Amino acid sequence: MRVPVLLCVLLCVSAAPGPVSGAGADKSCTDLRQFYTGKGFTLVEVPQTEISGEHLRMCPQGPTCCTTTMEENLAGLSSRETEGLIREAGRSLQSAFNALHRSFDTYFTELHGRSERSLQEVLSPLGPLYSQNTRLYADLYTELRQYYRGSALNLDETLTEFWSQLLERTFKISAPTDVTLSDDYLECVAKQQETLRPFGDVPRDMKAKLIRAFVTARSFVQGLIISGEVVRKVSQVHLSPECTKALMKLVYCPHCRGTASLKPCSNYCSNVMKGCLANQADLDPEWQNLIDTMIQVASSFSTEPSLDVVLSSIPARIYEAVHFLQENLDKFTDKVYQTCGNPGELGTGSPSVHEQRKRSSSLTASEYKPSPTAGLRLEMQVSDLSSKLREMRQYWIQLPVALCSKLAAGGANQEKCWNGVTKARYLPEVMGDGLANQINNPEVELDITKPDMTIRQQIMQLKIMSNRLKNAMEGNDVDFQDASDDISGSGSGMCFGVQCHRNRAFDFSPDTTRARGAATFQTRLCGLLLLLPLASLLLQR
């Protein structure tokens, strides 16, 4: 009996709790306390040593230095810091778009300015036909500049009006001083422009090339502005509560567990960020479509006739047109008499103009070439725009990767990283991009049937801008009413300080008018039908 009793005593002694040794002491929370105050929080209720972690709701339960309040505070901090990183990345991309806009705008306005300054040099051989019409030429350049800036001008009408006024004035200057041409007569002369083509093929050819150049240039800068605005709005979207919990577990739970030096596994971080940025990733298809379209537009600037040739040759084209009229003025005058009547013998015109017709030589735009430096600068401009736009193509699907590069462990540490529970390899597979691919995301709980509406609005904004650019490449004028007004009511800046374009330039067909009338009638009819039940209730009372 003594041996069993002795064994029992020894067992009890060995099992009895003895004094706490240094090795088994509760871990100190000194490091976390310093970290916590460094983040701007107070030490109220912060434990000195580890406590039981049954209260934790986001971090794995177990010995911890975090209270419920600390966990909530750090969760909010992780969300705010991640939102700050997203906004910072967005601001960087916005700055890149702004730089592209400034670069192209500077190039285009300088090109426009040089063309205008060359007017006197090219047109002065026309004598009175230049000196007495300087305001007309200056107004043309002003209106072209306003159109580029976003003004509600119809380029087709603007150019038609320019040639009509130039024809009236040329015809008037060519008439003898003793013949008075009434405004009605000059208006009749101007109307012969389409049928008699007094300026040859120049107005039609110049109109087509100018419209294409200015429509594409204006559309391109609008594309840059819209892209930057989309980035700004999407980068300010707040993260969901589910994402906040996932970020807390990713970033600050290691601190609560006393393993602050442990960085998240890269695949673990990828799943968290792909879940948090799932809606942003859905921008990718339309974003890449818009970027690709802008690259095509930029490339079109150097396609013959290139942008610099079209703008630089405006004075030469005007000279060529007026010279053609001078050479054929007698034939044109005879045909005008047949249509508008004879206001009196025009003879050979005033001496100065007649003398000018004798000594002026023909200058065609095909002979006019801008300097080699101008062509080289355009080539460099297009190359720079295209290369920088290509760098932006995959921004939205690369954003999670960029964020994780700042947070996660490197490739060599995938066995010794924080996997959300402990220090070990992260085993779940990495999810795809976009909301639909997050249905089985193990880190972020998402309802894939409820997309973020702000981001859906921006996806539509991108689609609209892509369509406008494609129309512009075909030489079709486009409506630059702010698409954000149509979609989100946000009123992002689409204009350049000039009146916004509010009506489609070429939308004058009778069918369109009837369609609008029918739509108005249907709207009113629907309003009346909605009011009938209300009226019925009022009558019952």
Side-chain angles (χ1 to χ4, degrees), residues 447-486:
D447 185 350
I448 65 170
T449 65
K450 294 181 179 179
D452 186 289
M453 293 313 297
T454 299
I455 292 177
R456 298 296 133 175
Q457 290 164 357
Q458 298 312 307
I459 291 173
M460 184 59 67
Q461 184 88 300
L462 294 172
K463 187 176 294 188
I464 290 172
M465 192 65 237
S466 295
N467 289 334
R468 287 173 170 173
L469 284 165
K470 288 171 183 175
N471 281 328
M473 280 193 294
E474 295 174 1
N476 298 325
D477 204 349
V478 289
D479 177 8
F480 275 109
Q481 179 177 346
D482 190 344
S484 62
D485 290 342
D486 302 332

mmCIF file of all heavy atoms in Angstrom, residues 447-486:
data_model
loop_
_atom_site.group_PDB
_atom_site.id
_atom_site.type_symbol
_atom_site.label_atom_id
_atom_site.label_comp_id
_atom_site.label_asym_id
_atom_site.label_seq_id
_atom_site.Cartn_x
_atom_site.Cartn_y
_atom_site.Cartn_z
ATOM 1 N N ASP A 447 -21.744 40.370 -51.535
ATOM 2 C CA ASP A 447 -22.978 40.030 -52.243
ATOM 3 C C ASP A 447 -22.775 40.448 -53.698
ATOM 4 O O ASP A 447 -22.850 41.632 -54.031
ATOM 5 C CB ASP A 447 -24.174 40.753 -51.627
ATOM 6 C CG ASP A 447 -25.500 40.339 -52.267
ATOM 7 O OD1 ASP A 447 -25.463 39.642 -53.305
ATOM 8 O OD2 ASP A 447 -26.561 40.711 -51.729
ATOM 9 N N ILE A 448 -22.502 39.475 -54.548
ATOM 10 C CA ILE A 448 -22.161 39.807 -55.939
ATOM 11 C C ILE A 448 -23.373 40.285 -56.723
ATOM 12 O O ILE A 448 -23.240 40.736 -57.864
ATOM 13 C CB ILE A 448 -21.504 38.610 -56.649
ATOM 14 C CG1 ILE A 448 -22.490 37.453 -56.787
ATOM 15 C CG2 ILE A 448 -20.238 38.178 -55.941
ATOM 16 C CD1 ILE A 448 -21.989 36.336 -57.685
ATOM 17 N N THR A 449 -24.571 40.198 -56.134
ATOM 18 C CA THR A 449 -25.779 40.688 -56.819
ATOM 19 C C THR A 449 -26.018 42.176 -56.557
ATOM 20 O O THR A 449 -26.956 42.743 -57.091
ATOM 21 C CB THR A 449 -27.016 39.903 -56.356
ATOM 22 O OG1 THR A 449 -27.259 40.151 -54.965
ATOM 23 C CG2 THR A 449 -26.825 38.411 -56.579
ATOM 24 N N LYS A 450 -25.166 42.809 -55.726
ATOM 25 C CA LYS A 450 -25.355 44.220 -55.385
ATOM 26 C C LYS A 450 -24.094 45.013 -55.704
ATOM 27 O O LYS A 450 -23.286 45.307 -54.814
ATOM 28 C CB LYS A 450 -25.713 44.371 -53.908
ATOM 29 C CG LYS A 450 -27.061 43.761 -53.542
ATOM 30 C CD LYS A 450 -27.383 43.965 -52.072
ATOM 31 C CE LYS A 450 -28.746 43.376 -51.719
ATOM 32 N NZ LYS A 450 -29.072 43.533 -50.284
ATOM 33 N N PRO A 451 -23.888 45.361 -56.974
ATOM 34 C CA PRO A 451 -22.704 46.140 -57.349
ATOM 35 C C PRO A 451 -22.789 47.569 -56.835
ATOM 36 O O PRO A 451 -23.883 48.083 -56.554
ATOM 37 C CB PRO A 451 -22.731 46.102 -58.884
ATOM 38 C CG PRO A 451 -24.164 45.892 -59.229
ATOM 39 C CD PRO A 451 -24.738 45.038 -58.135
ATOM 40 N N ASP A 452 -21.649 48.212 -56.708
ATOM 41 C CA ASP A 452 -21.580 49.610 -56.280
ATOM 42 C C ASP A 452 -22.093 50.502 -57.412
ATOM 43 O O ASP A 452 -21.547 50.506 -58.514
ATOM 44 C CB ASP A 452 -20.129 49.971 -55.937
ATOM 45 C CG ASP A 452 -20.004 51.356 -55.346
ATOM 46 O OD1 ASP A 452 -20.181 52.330 -56.110
ATOM 47 O OD2 ASP A 452 -19.736 51.470 -54.145
ATOM 48 N N MET A 453 -23.148 51.279 -57.129
ATOM 49 C CA MET A 453 -23.796 52.054 -58.189
ATOM 50 C C MET A 453 -22.941 53.227 -58.667
ATOM 51 O O MET A 453 -23.001 53.601 -59.837
ATOM 52 C CB MET A 453 -25.161 52.557 -57.718
ATOM 53 C CG MET A 453 -26.179 51.433 -57.486
ATOM 54 S SD MET A 453 -26.230 50.232 -58.862
ATOM 55 C CE MET A 453 -26.769 51.274 -60.214
ATOM 56 N N THR A 454 -22.166 53.809 -57.758
ATOM 57 C CA THR A 454 -21.278 54.904 -58.188
ATOM 58 C C THR A 454 -20.299 54.416 -59.240
ATOM 59 O O THR A 454 -20.060 55.079 -60.253
ATOM 60 C CB THR A 454 -20.499 55.462 -56.976
ATOM 61 O OG1 THR A 454 -21.425 55.986 -56.026
ATOM 62 C CG2 THR A 454 -19.529 56.556 -57.413
ATOM 63 N N ILE A 455 -19.757 53.230 -59.021
ATOM 64 C CA ILE A 455 -18.803 52.678 -59.980
ATOM 65 C C ILE A 455 -19.511 52.264 -61.267
ATOM 66 O O ILE A 455 -18.977 52.437 -62.368
ATOM 67 C CB ILE A 455 -18.039 51.504 -59.344
ATOM 68 C CG1 ILE A 455 -17.134 52.049 -58.227
ATOM 69 C CG2 ILE A 455 -17.219 50.747 -60.382
ATOM 70 C CD1 ILE A 455 -16.369 51.012 -57.464
ATOM 71 N N ARG A 456 -20.744 51.748 -61.161
ATOM 72 C CA ARG A 456 -21.491 51.402 -62.391
ATOM 73 C C ARG A 456 -21.732 52.649 -63.235
ATOM 74 O O ARG A 456 -21.690 52.604 -64.469
ATOM 75 C CB ARG A 456 -22.845 50.767 -62.035
ATOM 76 C CG ARG A 456 -22.751 49.472 -61.259
ATOM 77 C CD ARG A 456 -22.094 48.363 -62.043
ATOM 78 N NE ARG A 456 -21.089 47.668 -61.235
ATOM 79 C CZ ARG A 456 -20.424 46.603 -61.595
ATOM 80 N NH1 ARG A 456 -20.653 46.068 -62.777
ATOM 81 N NH2 ARG A 456 -19.525 46.059 -60.815
ATOM 82 N N GLN A 457 -21.983 53.776 -62.580
ATOM 83 C CA GLN A 457 -22.181 55.034 -63.315
ATOM 84 C C GLN A 457 -20.912 55.435 -64.055
ATOM 85 O O GLN A 457 -20.959 55.910 -65.190
ATOM 86 C CB GLN A 457 -22.605 56.133 -62.333
ATOM 87 C CG GLN A 457 -24.009 55.945 -61.782
ATOM 88 C CD GLN A 457 -24.267 56.795 -60.555
ATOM 89 O OE1 GLN A 457 -23.380 57.501 -60.072
ATOM 90 N NE2 GLN A 457 -25.486 56.732 -60.036
ATOM 91 N N GLN A 458 -19.765 55.228 -63.426
ATOM 92 C CA GLN A 458 -18.507 55.588 -64.067
ATOM 93 C C GLN A 458 -18.167 54.633 -65.211
ATOM 94 O O GLN A 458 -17.525 55.037 -66.182
ATOM 95 C CB GLN A 458 -17.377 55.610 -63.031
ATOM 96 C CG GLN A 458 -17.582 56.634 -61.925
ATOM 97 C CD GLN A 458 -17.955 58.003 -62.457
ATOM 98 O OE1 GLN A 458 -17.268 58.559 -63.316
ATOM 99 N NE2 GLN A 458 -19.050 58.566 -61.964
ATOM 100 N N ILE A 459 -18.593 53.384 -65.099
ATOM 101 C CA ILE A 459 -18.413 52.445 -66.212
ATOM 102 C C ILE A 459 -19.184 52.943 -67.435
ATOM 103 O O ILE A 459 -18.683 52.927 -68.562
ATOM 104 C CB ILE A 459 -18.878 51.029 -65.811
ATOM 105 C CG1 ILE A 459 -17.921 50.433 -64.775
ATOM 106 C CG2 ILE A 459 -18.963 50.106 -67.032
ATOM 107 C CD1 ILE A 459 -18.379 49.113 -64.185
ATOM 108 N N MET A 460 -20.412 53.428 -67.204
ATOM 109 C CA MET A 460 -21.209 53.986 -68.306
ATOM 110 C C MET A 460 -20.554 55.248 -68.858
ATOM 111 O O MET A 460 -20.558 55.488 -70.073
ATOM 112 C CB MET A 460 -22.625 54.284 -67.810
ATOM 113 C CG MET A 460 -23.558 54.780 -68.898
ATOM 114 S SD MET A 460 -23.727 53.598 -70.270
ATOM 115 C CE MET A 460 -24.571 52.255 -69.426
ATOM 116 N N GLN A 461 -19.966 56.048 -67.981
ATOM 117 C CA GLN A 461 -19.253 57.259 -68.415
ATOM 118 C C GLN A 461 -18.117 56.909 -69.370
ATOM 119 O O GLN A 461 -17.909 57.560 -70.398
ATOM 120 C CB GLN A 461 -18.706 57.968 -67.167
ATOM 121 C CG GLN A 461 -18.022 59.277 -67.435
ATOM 122 C CD GLN A 461 -18.975 60.433 -67.438
ATOM 123 O OE1 GLN A 461 -19.911 60.459 -68.236
ATOM 124 N NE2 GLN A 461 -18.766 61.390 -66.564
ATOM 125 N N LEU A 462 -17.372 55.871 -69.031
ATOM 126 C CA LEU A 462 -16.264 55.427 -69.891
ATOM 127 C C LEU A 462 -16.782 54.958 -71.246
ATOM 128 O O LEU A 462 -16.193 55.261 -72.287
ATOM 129 C CB LEU A 462 -15.503 54.287 -69.205
ATOM 130 C CG LEU A 462 -14.757 54.628 -67.915
ATOM 131 C CD1 LEU A 462 -14.215 53.349 -67.267
ATOM 132 C CD2 LEU A 462 -13.625 55.612 -68.163
ATOM 133 N N LYS A 463 -17.892 54.231 -71.221
ATOM 134 C CA LYS A 463 -18.464 53.710 -72.468
ATOM 135 C C LYS A 463 -18.913 54.857 -73.376
ATOM 136 O O LYS A 463 -18.673 54.839 -74.596
ATOM 137 C CB LYS A 463 -19.641 52.789 -72.140
ATOM 138 C CG LYS A 463 -20.218 52.061 -73.337
ATOM 139 C CD LYS A 463 -21.320 51.094 -72.914
ATOM 140 C CE LYS A 463 -20.770 49.963 -72.077
ATOM 141 N NZ LYS A 463 -21.786 48.913 -71.813
ATOM 142 N N ILE A 464 -19.548 55.855 -72.805
ATOM 143 C CA ILE A 464 -20.022 57.009 -73.585
ATOM 144 C C ILE A 464 -18.837 57.744 -74.206
ATOM 145 O O ILE A 464 -18.859 58.123 -75.384
ATOM 146 C CB ILE A 464 -20.850 57.959 -72.692
ATOM 147 C CG1 ILE A 464 -22.189 57.305 -72.336
ATOM 148 C CG2 ILE A 464 -21.081 59.307 -73.376
ATOM 149 C CD1 ILE A 464 -22.990 58.082 -71.313
ATOM 150 N N MET A 465 -17.773 57.939 -73.411
ATOM 151 C CA MET A 465 -16.613 58.668 -73.927
ATOM 152 C C MET A 465 -15.933 57.888 -75.041
ATOM 153 O O MET A 465 -15.479 58.472 -76.033
ATOM 154 C CB MET A 465 -15.626 58.926 -72.780
ATOM 155 C CG MET A 465 -14.534 59.923 -73.125
ATOM 156 S SD MET A 465 -15.170 61.585 -73.441
ATOM 157 C CE MET A 465 -14.550 61.880 -75.104
ATOM 158 N N SER A 466 -15.874 56.559 -74.920
ATOM 159 C CA SER A 466 -15.275 55.737 -75.986
ATOM 160 C C SER A 466 -16.048 55.892 -77.286
ATOM 161 O O SER A 466 -15.461 56.023 -78.368
ATOM 162 C CB SER A 466 -15.248 54.262 -75.570
ATOM 163 O OG SER A 466 -14.406 54.064 -74.458
ATOM 164 N N ASN A 467 -17.378 55.886 -77.189
ATOM 165 C CA ASN A 467 -18.207 56.050 -78.389
ATOM 166 C C ASN A 467 -17.997 57.420 -79.023
ATOM 167 O O ASN A 467 -17.983 57.552 -80.248
ATOM 168 C CB ASN A 467 -19.682 55.839 -78.032
ATOM 169 C CG ASN A 467 -19.988 54.383 -77.727
ATOM 170 O OD1 ASN A 467 -19.307 53.482 -78.200
ATOM 171 N ND2 ASN A 467 -21.014 54.136 -76.928
ATOM 172 N N ARG A 468 -17.857 58.446 -78.198
ATOM 173 C CA ARG A 468 -17.624 59.789 -78.731
ATOM 174 C C ARG A 468 -16.297 59.846 -79.493
ATOM 175 O O ARG A 468 -16.198 60.456 -80.565
ATOM 176 C CB ARG A 468 -17.608 60.803 -77.579
ATOM 177 C CG ARG A 468 -18.977 61.075 -76.990
ATOM 178 C CD ARG A 468 -18.861 61.948 -75.771
ATOM 179 N NE ARG A 468 -20.166 62.413 -75.323
ATOM 180 C CZ ARG A 468 -20.377 63.082 -74.203
ATOM 181 N NH1 ARG A 468 -19.366 63.341 -73.404
ATOM 182 N NH2 ARG A 468 -21.593 63.483 -73.861
ATOM 183 N N LEU A 469 -15.286 59.234 -78.920
ATOM 184 C CA LEU A 469 -13.979 59.240 -79.577
ATOM 185 C C LEU A 469 -14.015 58.485 -80.902
ATOM 186 O O LEU A 469 -13.396 58.911 -81.885
ATOM 187 C CB LEU A 469 -12.933 58.621 -78.644
ATOM 188 C CG LEU A 469 -12.465 59.523 -77.495
ATOM 189 C CD1 LEU A 469 -11.735 58.705 -76.439
ATOM 190 C CD2 LEU A 469 -11.563 60.633 -78.011
ATOM 191 N N LYS A 470 -14.736 57.369 -80.936
ATOM 192 C CA LYS A 470 -14.842 56.598 -82.176
ATOM 193 C C LYS A 470 -15.590 57.396 -83.241
ATOM 194 O O LYS A 470 -15.224 57.371 -84.423
ATOM 195 C CB LYS A 470 -15.543 55.269 -81.905
ATOM 196 C CG LYS A 470 -14.667 54.297 -81.131
ATOM 197 C CD LYS A 470 -15.423 53.066 -80.663
ATOM 198 C CE LYS A 470 -14.528 52.161 -79.820
ATOM 199 N NZ LYS A 470 -15.250 51.015 -79.243
ATOM 200 N N ASN A 471 -16.627 58.128 -82.842
ATOM 201 C CA ASN A 471 -17.328 59.008 -83.788
ATOM 202 C C ASN A 471 -16.407 60.115 -84.283
ATOM 203 O O ASN A 471 -16.432 60.476 -85.457
ATOM 204 C CB ASN A 471 -18.563 59.626 -83.110
ATOM 205 C CG ASN A 471 -19.729 58.666 -83.060
ATOM 206 O OD1 ASN A 471 -19.899 57.842 -83.951
ATOM 207 N ND2 ASN A 471 -20.532 58.755 -82.021
ATOM 208 N N ALA A 472 -15.602 60.642 -83.368
ATOM 209 C CA ALA A 472 -14.691 61.729 -83.744
ATOM 210 C C ALA A 472 -13.671 61.262 -84.771
ATOM 211 O O ALA A 472 -13.324 62.003 -85.699
ATOM 212 C CB ALA A 472 -13.981 62.260 -82.503
ATOM 213 N N MET A 473 -13.176 60.031 -84.637
ATOM 214 C CA MET A 473 -12.202 59.513 -85.600
ATOM 215 C C MET A 473 -12.787 59.391 -87.000
ATOM 216 O O MET A 473 -12.065 59.412 -87.989
ATOM 217 C CB MET A 473 -11.675 58.157 -85.130
ATOM 218 C CG MET A 473 -10.597 58.274 -84.075
ATOM 219 S SD MET A 473 -9.715 56.712 -83.810
ATOM 220 C CE MET A 473 -11.010 55.700 -83.133
ATOM 221 N N GLU A 474 -14.111 59.251 -87.066
ATOM 222 C CA GLU A 474 -14.781 59.190 -88.367
ATOM 223 C C GLU A 474 -15.132 60.575 -88.889
ATOM 224 O O GLU A 474 -15.774 60.721 -89.923
ATOM 225 C CB GLU A 474 -16.044 58.342 -88.249
ATOM 226 C CG GLU A 474 -15.757 56.873 -87.914
ATOM 227 C CD GLU A 474 -17.014 56.076 -87.653
ATOM 228 O OE1 GLU A 474 -18.119 56.678 -87.757
ATOM 229 O OE2 GLU A 474 -16.916 54.882 -87.342
ATOM 230 N N GLY A 475 -14.727 61.618 -88.151
ATOM 231 C CA GLY A 475 -14.975 62.984 -88.571
ATOM 232 C C GLY A 475 -16.349 63.495 -88.196
ATOM 233 O O GLY A 475 -16.752 64.563 -88.659
ATOM 234 N N ASN A 476 -17.071 62.752 -87.350
ATOM 235 C CA ASN A 476 -18.406 63.176 -86.951
ATOM 236 C C ASN A 476 -18.337 64.051 -85.712
ATOM 237 O O ASN A 476 -17.728 63.676 -84.709
ATOM 238 C CB ASN A 476 -19.280 61.954 -86.646
ATOM 239 C CG ASN A 476 -19.464 61.075 -87.867
ATOM 240 O OD1 ASN A 476 -19.548 61.569 -88.993
ATOM 241 N ND2 ASN A 476 -19.512 59.773 -87.655
ATOM 242 N N ASP A 477 -18.963 65.209 -85.792
ATOM 243 C CA ASP A 477 -19.032 66.087 -84.637
ATOM 244 C C ASP A 477 -19.845 65.391 -83.556
ATOM 245 O O ASP A 477 -20.744 64.606 -83.843
ATOM 246 C CB ASP A 477 -19.693 67.421 -85.014
ATOM 247 C CG ASP A 477 -19.284 68.536 -84.069
ATOM 248 O OD1 ASP A 477 -18.679 68.222 -83.028
ATOM 249 O OD2 ASP A 477 -19.561 69.701 -84.377
ATOM 250 N N VAL A 478 -19.507 65.664 -82.295
ATOM 251 C CA VAL A 478 -20.173 64.965 -81.193
ATOM 252 C C VAL A 478 -20.702 65.963 -80.180
ATOM 253 O O VAL A 478 -20.224 67.076 -80.064
ATOM 254 C CB VAL A 478 -19.210 63.986 -80.492
ATOM 255 C CG1 VAL A 478 -18.912 62.802 -81.380
ATOM 256 C CG2 VAL A 478 -17.920 64.666 -80.082
ATOM 257 N N ASP A 479 -21.707 65.503 -79.445
ATOM 258 C CA ASP A 479 -22.322 66.310 -78.404
ATOM 259 C C ASP A 479 -21.488 66.191 -77.143
ATOM 260 O O ASP A 479 -21.341 65.102 -76.599
ATOM 261 C CB ASP A 479 -23.751 65.799 -78.156
ATOM 262 C CG ASP A 479 -24.445 66.552 -77.035
ATOM 263 O OD1 ASP A 479 -23.880 67.556 -76.566
ATOM 264 O OD2 ASP A 479 -25.543 66.133 -76.644
ATOM 265 N N PHE A 480 -20.973 67.318 -76.660
ATOM 266 C CA PHE A 480 -20.168 67.272 -75.446
ATOM 267 C C PHE A 480 -20.928 67.770 -74.231
ATOM 268 O O PHE A 480 -20.366 68.351 -73.331
ATOM 269 C CB PHE A 480 -18.873 68.068 -75.622
ATOM 270 C CG PHE A 480 -17.812 67.250 -76.253
ATOM 271 C CD1 PHE A 480 -17.400 67.490 -77.542
ATOM 272 C CD2 PHE A 480 -17.252 66.198 -75.573
ATOM 273 C CE1 PHE A 480 -16.430 66.715 -78.137
ATOM 274 C CE2 PHE A 480 -16.277 65.407 -76.149
ATOM 275 C CZ PHE A 480 -15.871 65.673 -77.437
ATOM 276 N N GLN A 481 -22.235 67.528 -74.212
ATOM 277 C CA GLN A 481 -22.956 67.738 -72.960
ATOM 278 C C GLN A 481 -22.332 66.818 -71.930
ATOM 279 O O GLN A 481 -21.977 65.683 -72.211
ATOM 280 C CB GLN A 481 -24.431 67.391 -73.111
ATOM 281 C CG GLN A 481 -25.221 67.562 -71.818
ATOM 282 C CD GLN A 481 -26.692 67.279 -72.031
ATOM 283 O OE1 GLN A 481 -27.140 67.214 -73.163
ATOM 284 N NE2 GLN A 481 -27.409 67.106 -70.950
ATOM 285 N N ASP A 482 -22.181 67.322 -70.708
ATOM 286 C CA ASP A 482 -21.528 66.552 -69.657
ATOM 287 C C ASP A 482 -22.272 65.263 -69.404
ATOM 288 O O ASP A 482 -23.389 65.261 -68.916
ATOM 289 C CB ASP A 482 -21.484 67.406 -68.376
ATOM 290 C CG ASP A 482 -20.613 66.792 -67.312
ATOM 291 O OD1 ASP A 482 -20.298 65.595 -67.445
ATOM 292 O OD2 ASP A 482 -20.251 67.502 -66.365
ATOM 293 N N ALA A 483 -21.647 64.140 -69.722
ATOM 294 C CA ALA A 483 -22.294 62.841 -69.551
ATOM 295 C C ALA A 483 -22.567 62.552 -68.094
ATOM 296 O O ALA A 483 -23.482 61.818 -67.762
ATOM 297 C CB ALA A 483 -21.413 61.740 -70.141
ATOM 298 N N SER A 484 -21.782 63.138 -67.169
ATOM 299 C CA SER A 484 -22.024 62.872 -65.759
ATOM 300 C C SER A 484 -23.333 63.494 -65.312
ATOM 301 O O SER A 484 -23.946 63.045 -64.353
ATOM 302 C CB SER A 484 -20.875 63.429 -64.914
ATOM 303 O OG SER A 484 -20.781 64.827 -65.068
ATOM 304 N N ASP A 485 -23.802 64.559 -65.993
ATOM 305 C CA ASP A 485 -25.124 65.109 -65.696
ATOM 306 C C ASP A 485 -26.202 64.104 -66.053
ATOM 307 O O ASP A 485 -27.187 63.937 -65.338
ATOM 308 C CB ASP A 485 -25.370 66.403 -66.504
ATOM 309 C CG ASP A 485 -24.506 67.543 -65.994
ATOM 310 O OD1 ASP A 485 -24.000 67.444 -64.865
ATOM 311 O OD2 ASP A 485 -24.341 68.519 -66.733
ATOM 312 N N ASP A 486 -26.007 63.404 -67.194
ATOM 313 C CA ASP A 486 -26.998 62.435 -67.647
ATOM 314 C C ASP A 486 -27.054 61.227 -66.722
ATOM 315 O O ASP A 486 -28.103 60.650 -66.502
ATOM 316 C CB ASP A 486 -26.660 61.950 -69.064
ATOM 317 C CG ASP A 486 -26.593 63.100 -70.060
ATOM 318 O OD1 ASP A 486 -27.290 64.097 -69.823
ATOM 319 O OD2 ASP A 486 -25.857 62.992 -71.039
#
